[in-house]
Amino acid sequence: MREGEKVINESKQGEALVLDNTKISSKKLYIESYGCAMNFSDSEVVASILDKEGYATTRDASEADLVFLNTCSIREKAEQTVRKRLTEFKKQKKANPSLVVGVLGCMAERLKTNLLEEEKLVDLVVGPDAYRDLPNLIEETNGGNKAVNVLLSREETYGDIAPVKLDQNGITSFVSITRGCDNMCSFCVVPFTRGRERSRNPLTIVAEARDLFEKGYREVTLLGQNVDSYRWNMSSKGVIQDETIPTTNFAELMEMVAQIHPDLRIRFSTSHPKDMSDDVLHMMAKYDNICEYIHLPVQSGSSEVLKKMNRGYTREWFLNRIEAIRRILPNTEISTDIISGFCGETEEQHKETLSLMEEVRFSFAYMYKYSERPKTLAERKYEDDIDEKTKGKRLQEIIDLQMKHQLENYKKAIGKTYQVLVEKPSKKNPDEYSGRNSQNTVCIFPKENVKIGEYVNVKITNCTSATLRGEIV
Ligand code: 5AD
Ligand code: SF4
């Protein structure tokens, strides 16, 4: 799964991304995305499919004919957020009974028709591989009927669909490269909600990235639950499927995208420690426009816990990958995901996570309490036996240590100069811009005479625990 679920320029877990692509049209679609960057990217595919049906997107739910929530199931809290949001649409549906309310994505896939019974106001339930069927399904809802399609596919990649860009800065964008996940980490619901892993045709990926560059975008993030297992034209058994097409692995794909233009920055998410090869690291070193940043979820610092999580690597293997990154790419920053209080986690094992953090000093971390998810291997095999208070206490220790490391890291950046892509006006002060350096740290600086989409050199003069501040030099 996403592990990919996040990342980089992406929204925080559970935070809604309200999409804006307002156009004049008779029919209006309002769509909110929850969870991962993958979901945000899927909403753009949905907007594209419905654009052809005459739907324009709106930011104002009250004028919409279709309200879609593209949902996340990764933690129970994510689902609760969506349910709460659904109750907020009740009034609107009462006033306008022809309004169609749809639940898309992972929660739709997980709960299927149950959602229609549990949430009376929902008209449409559509899983992540069924978006091409949306025009038919919407038609089925005419006259107050309900419609469902939660079929998962082994082939669907939406590779041929040019997403309608719904982000607001016009500078940074996600490009999906794989769908689904074959890893079966024991805590994760994604294999059940997003199905088997499949890779998208590299030529469609390059075409989409080139088109974005020509439209003024200057950064693409290649997205997949496990980008390192990207493989085109090869079956899961390693058999070449079409002799006339060259096989492509992730390093080669990255090179194809990096060659589009030196001014197009490349990021990717998410890498998997068990699969991240030196080839990928050497390719990153070869191109200046591949960013010096890797999101590498560790989940736990204890080899025993990692084994129960079915992650396919040990603490030592993970540290070996960190050593390879630091050797081949000395300026690269590494971020991670950590889960506290997984089934049976002892205090000793929790301390191993803290000591691994000390060894690595991640530049950023997404940190979670373990949340048992239905159907997962962990739910079937292990007891969720760490009480909430202990999970919370351990999580706080992890957060405190991460904040300490982050602040120390940022302090070290003071006095250094970074190349920053100017992305948008700063939220707090319209006279300042916000952008990120190659290492994915947000930098705030006075506007001066530069435009959004340009690269500038920023000398860092100050910091908080989440941003660097500086001035253009
Ligand atoms: N409970 C808590 N965190 C989880 N994640 C995935 N599944 C769970 C779960 N059941 C976290 C992992 C993953 C990130 C996207 O979400 O850290 O990398
Ligand atoms: Fe994304 Fe679905 Fe995973 Fe949530 S559960 S992070 S929406 S893939």
Side-chain angles (χ1 to χ4, degrees):
M1 79 160 228
R2 151 191 158 192
E3 280 213 347
E5 174 186 40
K6 26 259 216 35
V7 215
I8 314 184
N9 186 26
E10 90 233 62
S11 78
K12 282 198 212 118
Q13 303 273 327
E15 186 179 284
L17 281 160
V18 180
L19 310 180
D20 184 15
N21 186 36
T22 312
K23 271 198 238 163
I24 299 167
S25 159
S26 52
K27 297 186 283 182
K28 295 224 156 60
L29 162 69
Y30 173 85
I31 181 162
E32 283 179 11
S33 306
Y34 291 83
C36 58
M38 190 68 86
N39 257 7
F40 182 66
S41 169
D42 276 6
S43 291
E44 299 189 330
V45 166
V46 168
S48 173
I49 291 167
L50 293 183
D51 183 63
K52 295 195 178 61
E53 302 293 309
Y55 284 92
T57 47
T58 173
R59 280 198 97 179
D60 180 0
S62 70
E63 63 167 22
D65 305 281
L66 283 178
V67 165
F68 283 174
L69 301 189
N70 195 353
T71 61
C72 176
S73 285
I74 199 130
R75 278 168 297 278
E76 203 181 344
K77 205 165 141 229
E79 291 199 356
Q80 284 163 0
T81 308
V82 169
R83 292 206 192 252
K84 191 159 160 272
R85 191 69 183 123
L86 278 171
T87 62
E88 289 162 17
F89 286 109
K90 271 204 176 119
K91 244 199 203 155
Q92 192 177 337
K93 175 91 175 168
K94 228 179 181 173
N96 171 16
S98 68
L99 174 74
V100 172
V101 177
V103 176
L104 315 183
C106 291
M107 218 173 137
E109 192 60 50
R110 195 179 82 69
L111 295 166
K112 304 187 167 66
T113 46
N114 294 350
L115 249 179
L116 295 175
E117 284 140 38
E118 291 165 18
E119 301 288 345
K120 296 275 182 272
L121 115 142
V122 173
D123 304 296
L124 202 61
V125 174
V126 189
D129 287 345
Y131 298 144
R132 284 183 206 267
D133 198 22
L134 271 168
N136 300 325
L137 295 166
I138 292 167
E139 205 162 309
E140 268 182 48
T141 62
N142 278 343
N145 297 323
K146 309 275 180 189
V148 180
N149 186 346
V150 287
L151 284 178
L152 287 175
S153 155
R154 279 180 175 247
E155 285 93 34
E156 181 62 89
T157 61
Y158 302 111
D160 57 319
I161 293 182
V164 166
K165 286 290 135 192
L166 299 163
D167 43 7
Q168 286 154 27
N169 66 7
I171 300 298
T172 60
S173 180
F174 297 115
V175 175
S176 156
I177 66 164
T178 66
R179 295 182 74 79
C181 185
D182 285 350
N183 281 332
M184 299 300 279
C185 298
S186 63
F187 50 78
C188 188
V189 78
V190 173
F192 307 97
T193 60
R194 287 190 163 261
R196 299 303 298 268
E197 182 185 284
R198 57 227 107 111
S199 296
R200 179 178 170 190
N201 181 333
L203 301 181
T204 69
I205 296 170
V206 172
E208 186 177 328
R210 178 170 291 122
D211 182 55
L212 287 165
F213 181 73
E214 282 163 6
K215 288 186 171 132
Y217 284 79
R218 290 294 173 266
E219 181 182 297
V220 292
T221 301
L222 306 176
L223 280 185
Q225 313 298 352
N226 175 0
V227 290
D228 302 290
S229 59
Y230 175 87
R231 210 154 247 90
W232 173 252
N233 201 22
M234 217 177 296
S235 77
S236 55
K237 296 194 175 98
V239 178
I240 293 178
Q241 292 175 317
D242 180 343
E243 298 289 345
T244 62
I245 309 178
T247 57
T248 310
N249 64 23
F250 179 58
E252 291 158 348
L253 175 73
M254 223 167 31
E255 176 158 52
M256 288 161 77
V257 181
Q259 284 176 344
I260 291 173
H261 198 284
D263 284 348
L264 181 67
R265 268 185 174 179
I266 321 298
R267 297 187 188 276
F268 53 89
S269 191
T270 299
S271 304
H272 196 302
K274 85 178 159 60
D275 296 324
M276 199 192 58
S277 66
D278 286 3
D279 278 5
V280 168
L281 303 179
H282 288 300
M283 196 59 83
M284 291 174 74
K286 187 169 162 192
Y287 288 91
D288 283 346
N289 56 334
I290 303 180
C291 288
E292 297 175 298
Y293 172 70
I294 300 178
H295 184 67
L296 197 64
V298 64
Q299 314 298 0
S300 165
S302 150
S303 293
E304 275 166 67
V305 174
L306 289 169
K307 187 148 192 257
K308 281 173 83 175
M309 287 178 164
N310 204 24
R311 290 287 288 172
Y313 56 88
T314 58
R315 174 189 176 101
E316 290 67 34
W317 174 274
F318 183 86
L319 290 173
N320 165 284
R321 293 292 73 210
I322 298 293
E323 184 277 320
I325 297 170
R326 301 248 148 100
R327 176 169 34 86
I328 300 168
L329 299 158
N331 295 322
T332 291
E333 291 289 358
I334 304 160
S335 63
T336 200
D337 293 347
I338 298 174
I339 298 177
S340 82
F342 185 65
C343 312
E345 185 190 65
T346 63
E347 196 57 32
E348 273 315 298
Q349 289 168 339
H350 162 63
K351 294 231 159 72
E352 286 186 73
T353 297
L354 298 176
S355 74
L356 179 129
M357 292 172 71
E358 287 285 8
E359 271 191 60
V360 180
R361 300 181 71 89
F362 296 105
S363 67
F364 188 83
Y366 294 89
M367 299 159 281
Y368 312 102
K369 277 195 265 186
Y370 173 59
S371 156
E372 184 177 83
R373 305 310 290 135
K375 275 205 197 167
T376 54
L377 280 180
E379 189 231 17
R380 285 181 275 149
K381 233 170 131 180
Y382 307 116
E383 200 186 333
D384 180 12
D385 55 356
I386 309 300
D387 60 77
E388 273 304 299
K389 204 170 143 215
T390 308
K391 280 182 189 172
K393 183 184 139 281
R394 291 180 186 171
L395 178 64
Q396 197 54 53
E397 286 173 16
I398 290 168
I399 293 173
D400 290 346
L401 185 58
Q402 180 55 32
M403 289 304 124
K404 178 173 160 266
H405 288 163
Q406 244 164 262
L407 194 60
E408 285 168 8
N409 264 2
Y410 285 7
K411 280 192 175 143
K412 278 197 211 140
I414 295 175
K416 291 192 182 150
T417 299
Y418 294 100
Q419 191 193 54
V420 173
L421 172 61
V422 185
E423 286 175 36
K424 55 191 171 194
S426 140
K427 269 191 205 143
K428 288 195 187 136
N429 181 351
D431 295 331
E432 291 180 326
Y433 275 137
S434 162
R436 279 166 302 144
N437 62 10
S438 177
Q439 290 76 9
N440 206 38
T441 307
V442 174
C443 302
I444 309 284
F445 47 93
K447 272 187 173 170
E448 300 199 17
N449 244 347
V450 297
K451 288 199 210 70
I452 286 176
E454 289 179 0
Y455 289 97
V456 291
N457 288 323
V458 175
K459 185 166 185 196
I460 305 306
T461 53
N462 209 341
C463 71
T464 67
S465 65
T467 52
L468 298 175
R469 303 190 70 84
E471 51 204 34
I472 297 173
V473 289

